[in-house]
Amino acid sequence: MSRGFDSHFGPPSQPISVAEFLQEANSALLSGSLTNASWEQLTPEYDNAAEAEISGSISELKSSLEQVWDNPVLSAHVLRQHESTVAAVRGQADAPAPKGRKRKRYVAPEGSESAPEVLQLQEKLDAVNLKCWGLTVESALCMRAAKNSDYNALDAPKKTGTGVLRTINHGDVGATRNSTPDSLRSPSPNATSYLNAVISLTVYNRITYLPSCLTRSSQHAVLSTQTLDDLLRVIPCASSNMPIEHLDAEGDISGYNLPDQTGEHSGSLFCIEGLVYGDRSENTDYAEKLIAHFQKLPEGKRPKITKASTSASETAFSALTLRIHQPYWILHQGNCEHFFVIDQIRHGLFHFNSITTLNVICRLAHPSDPPSGYPLMLHLTPTLQDLCRACGKVPAVHSIVGDMRLGESPCLLCAPCWRTMGPPKNDEDVMVVPLVIHP
Protein backbone atom coordinates (compact mmCIF):
# COMPACT_ATOMS: atom_id res chain seq x y z
CA MET A 1 0.00 0.00 0.00
CA SER A 2 2.85 2.36 0.80
CA ARG A 3 4.44 1.80 -2.62
CA GLY A 4 1.06 2.33 -4.24
CA PHE A 5 0.61 5.70 -2.53
CA ASP A 6 4.06 6.85 -3.63
CA SER A 7 3.34 5.88 -7.26
CA HIS A 8 -0.05 7.62 -7.40
CA PHE A 9 -0.15 11.09 -8.96
CA GLY A 10 -2.98 13.48 -9.52
CA PRO A 11 -5.55 14.48 -10.13
CA PRO A 12 -3.72 16.53 -12.75
CA SER A 13 -4.45 20.19 -13.28
CA GLN A 14 -5.80 21.77 -16.43
CA PRO A 15 -3.21 22.26 -19.23
CA ILE A 16 -1.10 25.31 -18.46
CA SER A 17 0.90 27.17 -21.08
CA VAL A 18 4.19 28.47 -19.71
CA ALA A 19 4.30 31.08 -22.48
CA GLU A 20 0.89 32.42 -21.43
CA PHE A 21 2.08 32.63 -17.84
CA LEU A 22 5.05 34.74 -18.90
CA GLN A 23 2.88 36.91 -21.13
CA GLU A 24 0.33 37.50 -18.38
CA ALA A 25 3.06 38.29 -15.86
CA ASN A 26 4.71 40.70 -18.30
CA SER A 27 1.43 42.49 -18.92
CA ALA A 28 0.73 42.69 -15.20
CA LEU A 29 4.14 44.19 -14.54
CA LEU A 30 3.73 46.83 -17.24
CA SER A 31 0.26 47.81 -16.07
CA GLY A 32 1.18 47.79 -12.38
CA SER A 33 -1.72 45.48 -11.53
CA LEU A 34 0.44 43.43 -9.17
CA THR A 35 0.10 46.11 -6.52
CA ASN A 36 -2.44 45.19 -3.87
CA ALA A 37 -5.01 48.00 -3.85
CA SER A 38 -5.84 47.47 -0.18
CA TRP A 39 -2.40 48.69 0.83
CA GLU A 40 -3.08 52.06 -0.80
CA GLN A 41 -5.92 52.70 1.63
CA LEU A 42 -3.76 52.29 4.74
CA THR A 43 -1.78 54.97 6.52
CA PRO A 44 2.03 54.84 6.45
CA GLU A 45 2.11 54.21 10.20
CA TYR A 46 -0.16 51.17 9.87
CA ASP A 47 1.90 49.90 6.92
CA ASN A 48 5.11 50.05 8.93
CA ALA A 49 3.50 48.36 11.92
CA ALA A 50 2.03 45.56 9.78
CA GLU A 51 5.30 44.90 8.00
CA ALA A 52 7.22 44.86 11.30
CA GLU A 53 4.69 42.43 12.79
CA ILE A 54 4.98 40.07 9.82
CA SER A 55 8.78 40.09 9.89
CA GLY A 56 8.85 39.76 13.67
CA SER A 57 6.46 36.83 13.73
CA ILE A 58 8.60 34.75 11.37
CA SER A 59 11.85 35.52 13.18
CA GLU A 60 10.23 34.85 16.55
CA LEU A 61 8.92 31.47 15.37
CA LYS A 62 12.32 30.53 13.95
CA SER A 63 14.09 31.58 17.14
CA SER A 64 11.74 29.59 19.38
CA LEU A 65 12.22 26.44 17.29
CA GLU A 66 16.00 26.77 17.32
CA GLN A 67 16.00 27.23 21.09
CA VAL A 68 14.14 23.95 21.56
CA TRP A 69 16.14 21.83 19.12
CA ASP A 70 19.49 23.23 20.26
CA ASN A 71 18.70 22.18 23.84
CA PRO A 72 19.22 18.39 24.27
CA VAL A 73 16.82 18.20 27.23
CA LEU A 74 13.99 20.01 25.43
CA SER A 75 14.46 18.25 22.08
CA ALA A 76 14.50 14.86 23.82
CA HIS A 77 11.26 15.73 25.60
CA VAL A 78 9.59 16.69 22.30
CA LEU A 79 10.74 13.44 20.65
CA ARG A 80 9.44 11.35 23.55
CA GLN A 81 6.08 13.12 23.40
CA HIS A 82 5.84 12.45 19.66
CA GLU A 83 6.73 8.77 20.03
CA SER A 84 4.15 8.26 22.75
CA THR A 85 1.47 10.01 20.68
CA VAL A 86 2.20 7.84 17.64
CA ALA A 87 2.13 4.69 19.75
CA ALA A 88 -1.22 5.70 21.24
CA VAL A 89 -2.72 6.35 17.80
CA ARG A 90 -1.50 2.98 16.51
CA GLY A 91 -2.93 1.25 19.55
CA GLN A 92 -6.35 2.86 19.15
CA ALA A 93 -6.48 2.07 15.42
CA ASP A 94 -5.25 -1.49 15.96
CA ALA A 95 -2.71 -0.88 13.21
CA PRO A 96 -0.13 -3.58 12.43
CA ALA A 97 3.31 -3.07 13.87
CA PRO A 98 5.80 -1.56 11.41
CA LYS A 99 8.08 -4.09 9.74
CA GLY A 100 11.83 -4.08 9.98
CA ARG A 101 14.02 -2.99 12.83
CA LYS A 102 12.13 -1.70 15.84
CA ARG A 103 12.47 1.96 16.61
CA LYS A 104 14.57 2.99 19.54
CA ARG A 105 12.52 3.98 22.53
CA TYR A 106 13.44 7.26 24.15
CA VAL A 107 13.67 6.71 27.89
CA ALA A 108 13.57 9.87 29.95
CA PRO A 109 16.42 10.20 32.47
CA GLU A 110 15.30 10.28 36.03
CA GLY A 111 14.15 13.75 37.01
CA SER A 112 14.33 15.21 33.49
CA GLU A 113 10.55 15.41 33.06
CA SER A 114 10.25 17.58 36.17
CA ALA A 115 12.95 20.01 35.12
CA PRO A 116 11.71 23.65 35.18
CA GLU A 117 12.58 24.26 31.54
CA VAL A 118 10.69 21.12 30.45
CA LEU A 119 7.62 22.07 32.46
CA GLN A 120 7.72 25.57 31.00
CA LEU A 121 7.95 24.21 27.44
CA GLN A 122 5.05 21.82 28.01
CA GLU A 123 2.91 24.68 29.35
CA LYS A 124 3.60 26.67 26.19
CA LEU A 125 2.68 23.70 24.00
CA ASP A 126 -0.55 23.08 25.91
CA ALA A 127 -1.49 26.75 25.52
CA VAL A 128 -1.34 26.61 21.70
CA ASN A 129 -4.87 27.05 20.33
CA LEU A 130 -4.08 25.39 16.98
CA LYS A 131 -5.57 21.88 17.25
CA CYS A 132 -5.87 20.86 13.59
CA TRP A 133 -2.43 19.24 13.52
CA GLY A 134 -3.25 16.73 16.21
CA LEU A 135 -2.94 13.04 15.29
CA THR A 136 -6.28 11.26 15.13
CA VAL A 137 -7.07 7.56 14.79
CA GLU A 138 -7.35 7.97 11.01
CA SER A 139 -3.74 9.20 10.96
CA ALA A 140 -2.54 5.61 11.39
CA LEU A 141 -3.49 4.90 7.77
CA CYS A 142 -0.87 7.39 6.56
CA MET A 143 1.94 6.51 8.96
CA ARG A 144 5.00 4.67 7.68
CA ALA A 145 8.67 4.44 8.47
CA ALA A 146 11.11 6.67 6.59
CA LYS A 147 12.37 5.23 3.30
CA ASN A 148 15.57 5.85 1.42
CA SER A 149 13.84 8.22 -1.03
CA ASP A 150 12.78 10.45 1.89
CA TYR A 151 16.38 11.40 2.62
CA ASN A 152 18.36 14.01 0.73
CA ALA A 153 22.02 13.42 -0.09
CA LEU A 154 22.47 17.17 -0.69
CA ASP A 155 22.87 19.73 2.07
CA ALA A 156 22.34 22.64 -0.34
CA PRO A 157 21.02 23.11 -3.90
CA LYS A 158 23.58 21.82 -6.40
CA LYS A 159 24.40 23.75 -9.57
CA THR A 160 24.34 21.29 -12.46
CA GLY A 161 24.05 23.57 -15.52
CA THR A 162 24.98 26.92 -17.00
CA GLY A 163 21.57 28.61 -17.00
CA VAL A 164 21.53 32.18 -15.72
CA LEU A 165 18.52 33.63 -13.93
CA ARG A 166 17.66 37.18 -14.95
CA THR A 167 16.48 38.99 -11.84
CA ILE A 168 15.27 42.47 -11.08
CA ASN A 169 17.16 44.91 -8.90
CA HIS A 170 15.34 46.46 -5.99
CA GLY A 171 16.45 49.87 -7.24
CA ASP A 172 14.35 49.36 -10.37
CA VAL A 173 11.21 48.65 -8.39
CA GLY A 174 8.87 51.58 -8.15
CA ALA A 175 6.03 51.73 -5.67
CA THR A 176 3.34 54.25 -4.88
CA ARG A 177 4.35 54.08 -1.23
CA ASN A 178 7.68 53.24 0.35
CA SER A 179 5.90 51.38 3.14
CA THR A 180 4.33 48.84 0.80
CA PRO A 181 5.97 45.42 1.33
CA ASP A 182 8.40 44.33 -1.39
CA SER A 183 6.20 41.39 -2.33
CA LEU A 184 3.34 43.75 -3.22
CA ARG A 185 5.20 46.49 -5.08
CA SER A 186 4.95 47.09 -8.82
CA PRO A 187 8.19 47.39 -10.79
CA SER A 188 8.81 50.12 -13.29
CA PRO A 189 8.05 49.40 -16.96
CA ASN A 190 11.75 49.32 -17.83
CA ALA A 191 12.37 46.38 -15.46
CA THR A 192 10.62 43.58 -17.33
CA SER A 193 13.76 41.87 -18.61
CA TYR A 194 13.99 39.82 -15.42
CA LEU A 195 11.10 37.57 -16.37
CA ASN A 196 12.11 33.94 -15.99
CA ALA A 197 9.70 31.23 -14.98
CA VAL A 198 11.22 28.77 -12.52
CA ILE A 199 9.68 25.31 -12.84
CA SER A 200 10.20 22.69 -10.13
CA LEU A 201 9.91 19.04 -11.11
CA THR A 202 10.63 15.63 -9.60
CA VAL A 203 12.15 12.68 -11.45
CA TYR A 204 10.98 9.13 -10.68
CA ASN A 205 12.45 5.74 -11.61
CA ARG A 206 10.92 2.30 -11.75
CA ILE A 207 11.71 0.02 -8.81
CA THR A 208 13.76 -2.92 -10.08
CA TYR A 209 11.90 -5.59 -8.13
CA LEU A 210 8.52 -3.81 -8.48
CA PRO A 211 8.43 -2.43 -12.05
CA SER A 212 4.84 -1.26 -11.64
CA CYS A 213 5.87 1.10 -8.81
CA LEU A 214 7.97 4.25 -8.90
CA THR A 215 10.41 5.83 -6.47
CA ARG A 216 11.70 9.37 -6.32
CA SER A 217 15.19 9.83 -7.71
CA SER A 218 15.84 13.58 -7.74
CA GLN A 219 14.23 17.00 -7.82
CA HIS A 220 15.27 19.90 -10.03
CA ALA A 221 14.52 23.55 -10.70
CA VAL A 222 14.76 24.57 -14.36
CA LEU A 223 14.29 27.87 -16.15
CA SER A 224 11.67 28.44 -18.80
CA THR A 225 14.45 29.38 -21.23
CA GLN A 226 16.15 26.00 -20.91
CA THR A 227 15.42 23.00 -23.10
CA LEU A 228 14.33 19.43 -22.47
CA ASP A 229 17.82 18.29 -23.39
CA ASP A 230 19.24 20.52 -20.64
CA LEU A 231 17.11 18.61 -18.15
CA LEU A 232 18.10 15.20 -19.53
CA ARG A 233 21.80 15.98 -19.16
CA VAL A 234 21.53 16.57 -15.40
CA ILE A 235 19.22 13.70 -14.43
CA PRO A 236 21.27 11.27 -12.30
CA CYS A 237 21.15 7.92 -14.07
CA ALA A 238 23.34 4.84 -13.78
CA SER A 239 22.79 3.93 -17.45
CA SER A 240 24.62 7.10 -18.51
CA ASN A 241 27.72 5.96 -16.60
CA MET A 242 27.92 2.33 -17.74
CA PRO A 243 31.48 1.15 -18.53
CA ILE A 244 32.24 0.87 -22.24
CA GLU A 245 33.18 -2.60 -23.49
CA HIS A 246 36.27 -3.17 -25.59
CA LEU A 247 36.21 -6.10 -28.03
CA ASP A 248 39.15 -7.98 -29.45
CA ALA A 249 39.55 -9.22 -33.02
CA GLU A 250 37.41 -12.27 -32.28
CA GLY A 251 34.58 -10.21 -30.81
CA ASP A 252 35.23 -11.17 -27.18
CA ILE A 253 35.31 -8.60 -24.38
CA SER A 254 38.92 -7.67 -23.63
CA GLY A 255 38.37 -4.85 -21.15
CA TYR A 256 36.30 -1.89 -20.02
CA ASN A 257 36.70 1.87 -19.92
CA LEU A 258 34.67 4.45 -18.05
CA PRO A 259 32.61 6.92 -20.14
CA ASP A 260 33.96 10.41 -20.74
CA GLN A 261 31.13 12.02 -18.70
CA THR A 262 30.29 14.45 -21.49
CA GLY A 263 26.57 14.04 -20.94
CA GLU A 264 25.92 12.78 -24.46
CA HIS A 265 23.05 10.31 -24.82
CA SER A 266 22.79 7.64 -27.48
CA GLY A 267 19.20 8.40 -28.39
CA SER A 268 16.44 9.87 -26.24
CA LEU A 269 12.86 11.11 -26.32
CA PHE A 270 10.29 12.95 -24.20
CA CYS A 271 6.56 12.21 -24.35
CA ILE A 272 4.60 15.26 -23.14
CA GLU A 273 0.88 15.83 -23.66
CA GLY A 274 0.64 13.51 -26.65
CA LEU A 275 3.72 14.91 -28.41
CA VAL A 276 6.99 12.99 -28.75
CA TYR A 277 10.17 15.07 -28.77
CA GLY A 278 13.02 13.02 -30.23
CA ASP A 279 16.72 13.65 -30.59
CA ARG A 280 16.97 13.91 -34.39
CA SER A 281 20.24 12.02 -34.43
CA GLU A 282 22.08 11.07 -37.60
CA ASN A 283 20.46 7.64 -37.43
CA THR A 284 16.72 7.08 -37.08
CA ASP A 285 15.10 9.47 -34.65
CA TYR A 286 13.95 7.87 -31.38
CA ALA A 287 10.54 9.48 -31.88
CA GLU A 288 10.17 7.81 -35.27
CA LYS A 289 11.21 4.47 -33.79
CA LEU A 290 8.58 4.75 -31.06
CA ILE A 291 5.79 5.69 -33.44
CA ALA A 292 6.78 2.88 -35.81
CA HIS A 293 6.65 0.45 -32.89
CA PHE A 294 3.16 1.60 -31.91
CA GLN A 295 1.95 1.11 -35.47
CA LYS A 296 2.47 -2.62 -34.99
CA LEU A 297 -0.07 -2.69 -32.15
CA PRO A 298 -3.79 -3.26 -32.74
CA GLU A 299 -5.53 -0.03 -33.65
CA GLY A 300 -7.57 0.03 -30.46
CA LYS A 301 -4.44 -0.23 -28.29
CA ARG A 302 -2.31 2.38 -30.03
CA PRO A 303 -1.50 5.42 -27.85
CA LYS A 304 -2.63 8.69 -29.42
CA ILE A 305 0.73 10.36 -29.86
CA THR A 306 2.34 12.31 -32.69
CA LYS A 307 5.86 13.44 -33.40
CA ALA A 308 6.59 17.04 -32.39
CA SER A 309 7.88 19.53 -34.91
CA THR A 310 10.94 20.27 -32.79
CA SER A 311 13.50 18.05 -31.10
CA ALA A 312 14.27 17.90 -27.38
CA SER A 313 17.35 20.09 -27.85
CA GLU A 314 15.25 22.73 -29.67
CA THR A 315 12.26 22.75 -27.31
CA ALA A 316 12.38 25.15 -24.39
CA PHE A 317 10.07 24.78 -21.41
CA SER A 318 8.50 28.12 -22.36
CA ALA A 319 7.12 26.44 -25.50
CA LEU A 320 5.40 23.63 -23.59
CA THR A 321 1.92 23.16 -22.20
CA LEU A 322 2.14 21.22 -18.98
CA ARG A 323 -0.04 19.93 -16.15
CA ILE A 324 0.93 19.61 -12.52
CA HIS A 325 0.81 16.14 -10.95
CA GLN A 326 0.90 14.53 -14.41
CA PRO A 327 3.77 12.06 -15.07
CA TYR A 328 5.66 12.59 -18.34
CA TRP A 329 7.80 9.87 -19.88
CA ILE A 330 11.53 9.95 -20.69
CA LEU A 331 13.34 7.22 -22.63
CA HIS A 332 17.08 7.20 -23.30
CA GLN A 333 20.15 4.98 -23.48
CA GLY A 334 18.28 2.17 -25.18
CA ASN A 335 15.61 1.13 -22.68
CA CYS A 336 16.20 3.31 -19.61
CA GLU A 337 12.98 4.95 -18.45
CA HIS A 338 12.29 7.94 -16.21
CA PHE A 339 9.19 9.92 -15.35
CA PHE A 340 9.11 13.56 -14.33
CA VAL A 341 6.25 15.36 -12.60
CA ILE A 342 5.66 19.10 -12.29
CA ASP A 343 4.71 19.13 -8.65
CA GLN A 344 6.23 21.83 -6.47
CA ILE A 345 4.43 25.07 -5.58
CA ARG A 346 6.58 27.92 -4.32
CA HIS A 347 6.02 31.58 -3.57
CA GLY A 348 7.29 34.29 -5.88
CA LEU A 349 8.36 37.90 -5.67
CA PHE A 350 5.09 39.26 -7.02
CA HIS A 351 1.53 38.04 -6.56
CA PHE A 352 -1.55 38.16 -8.72
CA ASN A 353 -4.58 39.66 -7.06
CA SER A 354 -6.48 36.42 -7.67
CA ILE A 355 -5.05 32.93 -7.33
CA THR A 356 -4.94 31.23 -10.72
CA THR A 357 -3.46 28.02 -12.01
CA LEU A 358 -0.78 29.99 -13.80
CA ASN A 359 1.09 30.89 -10.62
CA VAL A 360 0.85 27.32 -9.37
CA ILE A 361 3.05 25.60 -11.90
CA CYS A 362 5.57 28.42 -12.20
CA ARG A 363 6.67 31.43 -10.26
CA LEU A 364 8.58 34.60 -11.02
CA ALA A 365 12.19 35.04 -10.07
CA HIS A 366 12.97 35.90 -6.45
CA PRO A 367 16.09 37.78 -5.26
CA SER A 368 16.99 34.84 -2.98
CA ASP A 369 17.23 32.44 -5.94
CA PRO A 370 20.75 31.42 -7.03
CA PRO A 371 21.71 33.65 -9.98
CA SER A 372 23.30 30.88 -12.06
CA GLY A 373 23.91 27.14 -12.34
CA TYR A 374 20.45 26.10 -13.57
CA PRO A 375 19.08 23.46 -13.68
CA LEU A 376 19.51 23.24 -9.91
CA MET A 377 19.36 19.88 -8.19
CA LEU A 378 17.24 20.33 -5.08
CA HIS A 379 17.00 16.72 -3.93
CA LEU A 380 19.02 13.57 -4.58
CA THR A 381 18.03 10.21 -3.15
CA PRO A 382 21.06 8.52 -1.53
CA THR A 383 22.37 5.63 -3.59
CA LEU A 384 22.55 2.22 -1.94
CA GLN A 385 25.86 0.71 -3.07
CA ASP A 386 27.40 -2.72 -2.54
CA LEU A 387 30.17 -2.79 0.05
CA CYS A 388 33.62 -4.23 -0.52
CA ARG A 389 33.63 -7.99 0.12
CA ALA A 390 37.08 -7.79 1.74
CA CYS A 391 36.79 -4.95 4.25
CA GLY A 392 33.00 -4.55 4.31
CA LYS A 393 33.31 -0.88 5.19
CA VAL A 394 33.38 1.20 2.00
CA PRO A 395 31.54 0.91 -1.35
CA ALA A 396 33.11 -1.32 -3.98
CA VAL A 397 34.46 0.21 -7.18
CA HIS A 398 35.79 -2.89 -8.99
CA SER A 399 34.30 -6.22 -10.00
CA ILE A 400 37.12 -8.75 -10.23
CA VAL A 401 36.43 -11.65 -12.59
CA GLY A 402 38.51 -14.83 -12.73
CA ASP A 403 40.90 -14.22 -9.79
CA MET A 404 41.29 -17.54 -7.93
CA ARG A 405 42.71 -15.81 -4.83
CA LEU A 406 39.37 -14.19 -3.97
CA GLY A 407 37.31 -17.35 -3.70
CA GLU A 408 34.44 -16.06 -5.79
CA SER A 409 33.99 -14.61 -9.25
CA PRO A 410 32.99 -11.90 -9.72
CA CYS A 411 34.16 -10.35 -6.45
CA LEU A 412 33.39 -6.73 -5.51
CA LEU A 413 36.33 -4.85 -4.03
CA CYS A 414 37.17 -1.28 -3.15
CA ALA A 415 40.25 0.39 -4.63
CA PRO A 416 42.50 0.10 -1.50
CA CYS A 417 41.70 -3.60 -1.03
CA TRP A 418 42.44 -4.36 -4.69
CA ARG A 419 45.78 -2.53 -4.46
CA THR A 420 46.60 -4.49 -1.30
CA MET A 421 45.95 -7.77 -3.13
CA GLY A 422 48.68 -6.96 -5.62
CA PRO A 423 48.79 -8.09 -9.27
CA PRO A 424 47.50 -11.61 -9.99
CA LYS A 425 49.91 -14.28 -11.20
CA ASN A 426 47.99 -14.95 -14.40
CA ASP A 427 46.86 -11.58 -15.77
CA GLU A 428 45.26 -13.07 -18.87
CA ASP A 429 42.55 -14.86 -16.92
CA VAL A 430 41.68 -11.91 -14.67
CA MET A 431 39.46 -9.04 -15.76
CA VAL A 432 38.85 -5.86 -13.74
CA VAL A 433 35.43 -4.39 -14.50
CA PRO A 434 34.79 -0.88 -13.18
CA LEU A 435 31.44 -0.52 -11.46
CA VAL A 436 28.89 2.12 -12.39
CA ILE A 437 29.73 5.54 -11.03
CA HIS A 438 26.79 6.91 -9.08
CA PRO A 439 26.25 10.67 -8.77
Side-chain angles (χ1 to χ4, degrees):
M1 184 179 296
S2 174
R3 294 293 187 185
F5 285 148
D6 294 341
S7 303
H8 178 74
F9 305 99
S13 70
Q14 295 295 323
I16 301 168
S17 171
V18 181
E20 290 181 4
F21 167 79
L22 293 173
Q23 183 178 3
E24 181 177 341
N26 187 34
S27 301
L29 289 173
L30 292 174
S31 62
S33 61
L34 294 181
T35 301
N36 196 319
S38 60
W39 282 94
E40 307 301 330
Q41 303 174 4
L42 303 178
T43 62
E45 293 78 9
Y46 190 89
D47 290 345
N48 294 331
E51 190 169 3
E53 182 180 356
I54 295 172
S55 302
S57 300
I58 297 176
S59 59
E60 181 182 357
L61 178 62
K62 182 175 181 291
S63 176
S64 61
L65 291 175
E66 290 176 345
Q67 289 178 2
V68 173
W69 288 113
D70 292 343
N71 189 324
V73 176
L74 298 182
S75 60
H77 172 73
V78 173
L79 288 175
R80 286 192 298 270
Q81 289 291 98
H82 175 71
E83 290 292 333
S84 61
T85 303
V86 171
V89 170
R90 286 187 174 275
Q92 295 175 6
D94 195 20
K99 298 180 180 179
R101 186 173 58 183
K102 294 183 179 180
R103 290 188 177 185
K104 182 180 179 181
R105 294 290 182 180
Y106 293 91
V107 180
E110 186 176 354
S112 61
E113 295 294 337
S114 59
E117 52 185 348
V118 173
L119 296 177
Q120 184 180 3
L121 173 62
Q122 190 60 44
E123 290 179 359
K124 292 178 62 176
L125 295 177
D126 295 337
V128 175
N129 295 324
L130 185 62
K131 304 298 182 182
C132 62
W133 284 354
L135 297 179
T136 62
V137 178
E138 292 77 10
S139 304
L141 299 174
C142 302
M143 291 181 181
R144 63 168 176 81
K147 296 186 298 186
N148 187 56
S149 59
D150 296 325
Y151 297 100
N152 192 356
L154 306 176
D155 57 0
K158 179 182 178 181
K159 298 180 179 180
T160 58
T162 59
V164 179
L165 179 64
R166 293 178 296 175
T167 58
I168 186 173
N169 297 323
H170 284 289
D172 296 332
V173 179
T176 55
R177 263 201 199 136
N178 293 333
S179 59
T180 304
D182 291 343
S183 60
L184 299 176
R185 292 178 182 175
S186 290
S188 58
N190 59 356
T192 59
S193 62
Y194 88 105
L195 277 177
N196 274 123
V198 181
I199 305 174
S200 299
L201 55 91
T202 302
V203 178
Y204 293 84
N205 298 337
R206 292 188 186 275
I207 301 177
T208 306
Y209 53 90
L210 290 174
S212 61
C213 296
L214 304 177
T215 183
R216 180 171 60 176
S217 171
S218 59
Q219 189 177 38
H220 307 265
V222 299
L223 301 178
S224 57
T225 55
Q226 294 184 301
T227 64
L228 296 174
D229 193 60
D230 293 331
L231 171 63
L232 182 61
R233 290 173 181 271
V234 301
I235 291 178
C237 179
S239 64
S240 300
N241 301 321
M242 294 290 290
I244 301 174
E245 298 178 350
H246 281 270
L247 305 179
D248 56 19
E250 299 179 356
D252 298 327
I253 300 176
S254 59
Y256 293 85
N257 278 341
L258 294 176
D260 55 6
Q261 305 295 323
T262 59
E264 297 295 335
H265 292 259
S266 58
S268 61
L269 64 83
F270 288 76
C271 188
I272 302 175
E273 296 297 327
L275 295 177
V276 182
Y277 301 87
D279 53 1
R280 287 190 179 177
S281 59
E282 296 180 358
N283 300 323
T284 305
D285 191 353
Y286 252 41
E288 297 178 357
K289 290 183 178 181
L290 179 66
I291 294 176
H293 171 71
F294 286 157
Q295 293 298 325
K296 300 177 182 178
L297 299 176
E299 187 174 355
K301 296 183 179 180
R302 295 177 189 172
K304 296 180 179 179
I305 60 173
T306 56
K307 182 181 176 180
S309 59
T310 56
S311 64
S313 60
E314 300 170 340
T315 306
F317 279 89
S318 58
L320 297 175
T321 298
L322 304 169
R323 290 184 288 172
I324 58 174
H325 304 310
Q326 173 66 31
Y328 297 116
W329 187 46
I330 303 175
L331 179 68
H332 72 124
Q333 300 291 17
N335 61 348
C336 184
E337 294 179 291
H338 304 277
F339 299 86
F340 75 95
V341 179
I342 311 293
D343 59 356
Q344 187 167 357
I345 304 173
R346 293 192 289 176
H347 214 271
L349 175 61
F350 299 102
H351 304 275
F352 291 99
N353 291 332
S354 61
I355 299 178
T356 64
T357 56
L358 290 180
N359 60 355
V360 171
I361 187 173
C362 310
R363 64 173 176 82
L364 302 184
H366 191 276
S368 63
D369 292 328
S372 61
Y374 290 84
L376 296 176
M377 185 180 293
L378 309 178
H379 176 274
L380 177 63
T381 299
T383 303
L384 300 178
Q385 303 183 42
D386 294 321
L387 297 180
C388 174
R389 297 302 298 269
C391 64
K393 295 181 179 180
V394 297
V397 296
H398 301 301
S399 177
I400 312 301
V401 181
D403 195 334
M404 300 298 295
R405 301 173 299 170
L406 300 176
E408 61 181 33
S409 179
C411 183
L412 305 182
L413 295 179
C414 63
C417 289
W418 177 238
R419 288 196 300 267
T420 304
M421 289 291 298
K425 295 182 179 179
N426 190 356
D427 293 343
E428 296 180 358
D429 297 334
V430 178
M431 183 179 298
V432 180
V433 182
L435 298 180
V436 174
I437 299 177
H438 295 277

